[in-house]
Each structure stands twice: as structure tokens, then as C-alpha cells.
Amino acid sequence: QDAGETFAFARGEAGAMLATRLGAVGANASARAAGDLADDGNQRGIDGAAQARGEITLPLARSFESSDAADPWRHRIEPRAAVAALISRGDDLLGSRFGRGLSAASGDAYLAEAGAASALGRWGASDALEASASVGAIGGTTPSLALRWRANASSRFFGLGAEGAHLAAADFAGSAFVARARAGRVDGLHLSTNVAAREGVDPISARLLTDAPLEPSGGFFATVGWTGGSSVTVPWTTWLSTSAGGDADLTSQLLVAARGSIELRDKCQCFALRLAGAHRIGREGVDAWLTIDLAPALR
């Protein structure tokens, strides 16, 4: 509700992934799409985005003895090559109504890259260290050379991951960066924090280079500079949890939004019902939405 007017908003998301082996070579392909539909009673707006990725890898793994014979330490070195594309379109009704940080980004970006990854971990215990780097070319608003990197560390009680990209062309240089941290168990009480930064890179290319969440309307990289957010999740039972948090423009040192949610899951973790609400600072009203997730275990 905003200034006495009702604003309706709906989102749909879908995706598919195929993974197989061709002898010693691994191959996988994925596609996902998301769309927002908005209606303010006078006009309708549609924002949408779609992303596809194909990858071939050559996993070279070695196991080492550990205290748990069923879950040994494994070291993997994995050369890889990939192609990806991201297409985003929008008429920006959401951005014109909700203001800064939610405007739709329209454009295309295409990426071809080759590199290698190395990982060491005990997957059953959720202990792992991983790093990867690649070099490639990205086409979009300004075709350029791209250097990508990623590093992750995780255990049952904490997680820390960061990834970024540096672009270089004849007349400019740019970068994009995303980091996420978790303190506490994923299925227990935990604090989550994330930050993102974009400089000299268009938002479509930045999202493709950092595998950011597929957001048709704004989200990370909607504005130049640093943004971030944090939330606390409390699982009251195996099927009920709540969370509360906020988002901020770190460059301008402004609080952007306060948000909260209630989530219900079934025992098999294959269905989730999520009721969420948010208040954007500087605008009257509260946004509320209901999400039905048919694959919560994959998030």
C-alpha cells in the first residue's frame, strides 16, 4: 500500500540443470529465468531476465585418509572451460514506483572463459576450501578482456565466500565484487552478511561475471559503488523459521530497507512457503509478498 493506492507485484522463477560425464570429462548445462509483473491499477509493467551456462571440466581428484574412513579428505584440481549468456529486459514500472536501487537493467552480456579450480575438503563434514581463476572475453555494452576469481571456505558453523572480476579494454577498466559470510549452522540460528561493489562495469555484465542472483528488477549492482545487507535467521522448529535484516547503500552510508520473513517447510525439505515483508526507507508503505518454493534444498 502506497499513499492510499494498491500496488500489485508478482514474481516467477524457474530453472533446470543437466550434468553428465563423457568418459573422464564432466559436462553440465544450466538455464534459469525470472520475471516480475507489476500493476498499479493504471498500467502494467514486466521485467524479466534469463541466463544460460554450459561448462566442460576435467576433474582430477585424490583422496587422503582421515579419522572417518567413509569421509576422507579429497583434493581436486579441475581445468574448465565455459560459455554463458545473460539477457535482461524491462519497462521499469517497478523502478519508477519504488525508486532508487530497484530500476530495471536492460541489456545483454555474453562470456567465454577458460581456467582452473582447486578444492580440498571433506564433503560429508561440510569442511572445504576452494579457489578458482579464469580468463576470458565478455561481450555486451563494451566487449573486453575479463579476469575472474573465486575463493570459498566453509564448515558446519561458518561460511565465507568471495568472487570478483576485473575487466580491461582499450579505453577503460572496471571491476565487480561480491562477498558472503555466514556465522552459525545453515539449519540453525545464524547470521548472514553480504556486500557487493561495481565500478566501471554495466550491471548486466557485473551480474554475469559474479554469478549474482537473477534479479529482473534491481538487486545487487543496480547502483555504482558498494551495497550490502545482513539478516538473522532463527529456526523455531524443523518446519518453522523467521528472519529479519536490512539493506544499505554503503557508499552513501544510507539504510535502504528493513525486511523480515516467516518460512514454513515440510519434513522432506522439498517444499517451502515464505511470507516476507519489507519497508523501503524514504517511501511510505510496506511491501509484502508470498513465495512458494518447490526446490528449497537447492538454494
Side-chain angles (χ1 to χ4, degrees), residues 9-14 32-38 45-51 86-96 98-99 101-107 203-204 207 212-222 299:
F9 166 79
R11 166 169 295 177
E13 299 183 36
R32 51 184 177 147
D36 291 340
L37 173 64
I46 299 176
D47 299 331
Q51 181 172 336
L86 174 59
I87 299 173
S88 181
R89 296 287 185 271
D91 54 19
D92 209 15
L93 177 59
L94 283 168
S96 64
F98 288 173
L102 278 177
S103 57
S106 294
I204 303 300
R207 291 173 188 172
L214 198 61
E215 288 283 351
S217 303
F220 276 164
F221 302 126
R299 292 185 179 274

Side-chain angles (χ1 to χ4, degrees), residues 28-50:
N28 62 75
S30 63
R32 51 184 177 147
D36 291 340
L37 173 64
D39 189 335
D40 64 1
N42 298 315
Q43 58 180 329
R44 290 185 179 181
I46 299 176
D47 299 331

Side-chain angles (χ1 to χ4, degrees), residues 165-176:
H166 305 277
L167 273 62
D171 56 350
F172 87 101
S175 62

Side-chain angles (χ1 to χ4, degrees), residues 36-294:
D36 291 340
L37 173 64
D39 189 335
D40 64 1
N42 298 315
Q43 58 180 329
R44 290 185 179 181
I46 299 176
D47 299 331
Q51 181 172 336
R53 181 177 178 88
E55 185 178 51
I56 57 173
T57 63
L58 182 61
L60 307 171
R62 181 180 179 184
S63 296
F64 302 89
E65 292 184 1
S66 70
S67 57
D68 185 353
D71 187 24
W73 286 93
R74 291 183 173 88
H75 179 227
R76 185 182 77 247
I77 298 177
E78 191 172 43
R80 57 179 60 177
V83 293
L86 174 59
I87 299 173
S88 181
R89 296 287 185 271
D91 54 19
D92 209 15
L93 177 59
L94 283 168
S96 64
R97 285 296 300 260
F98 288 173
R100 185 179 184 211
L102 278 177
S103 57
S106 294
D108 307 338
Y110 308 92
L111 175 69
E113 62 176 341
S118 180
L120 174 67
R122 295 175 60 227
W123 314 129
S126 300
D127 297 326
L129 295 171
E130 182 177 5
S132 66
S134 65
V135 62
I138 184 167
T141 303
T142 305
S144 57
L145 180 70
L147 174 64
R148 299 182 67 201
W149 60 270
R150 175 182 295 179
N152 293 290
S154 64
S155 73
R156 290 185 184 273
F157 298 100
F158 82 93
L160 179 63
E163 55 188 300
H166 305 277
L167 273 62
D171 56 350
F172 87 101
S175 62
F177 172 79
V178 173
R180 306 175 183 88
R182 167 183 54 84
R185 295 174 60 106
V186 174
D187 58 351
L189 173 66
H190 65 271
L191 170 68
S192 299
T193 302
N194 53 67
V195 295
R198 174 174 67 88
E199 190 69 40
V201 185
D202 67 271
I204 303 300
S205 297
R207 291 173 188 172
L208 182 62
L209 288 166
T210 58
D211 293 329
L214 198 61
E215 288 283 351
S217 303
F220 276 164
F221 302 126
T223 59
V224 174
W226 290 80
T227 58
S230 62
S231 63
V232 175
T233 300
V234 181
W236 301 100
T237 68
T238 57
W239 52 271
L240 172 65
S241 64
T242 59
S243 67
D247 299 310
D249 183 329
L250 302 178
T251 300
S252 302
Q253 298 183 356
L254 294 174
L255 182 65
V256 175
R259 48 189 167 81
S261 67
I262 300 174
E263 182 173 295
L264 302 174
R265 294 196 179 203
D266 65 345
K267 292 183 178 180
C268 72
Q269 298 294 305
C270 55
F271 177 86
L273 188 68
R274 190 176 303 113
L275 176 63
H279 170 64
R280 294 193 62 79
I281 308 303
R283 180 175 65 82
E284 294 183 1
V286 174
D287 309 321
W289 60 95
L290 179 67
T291 302
I292 299 174
D293 194 337
L294 301 180

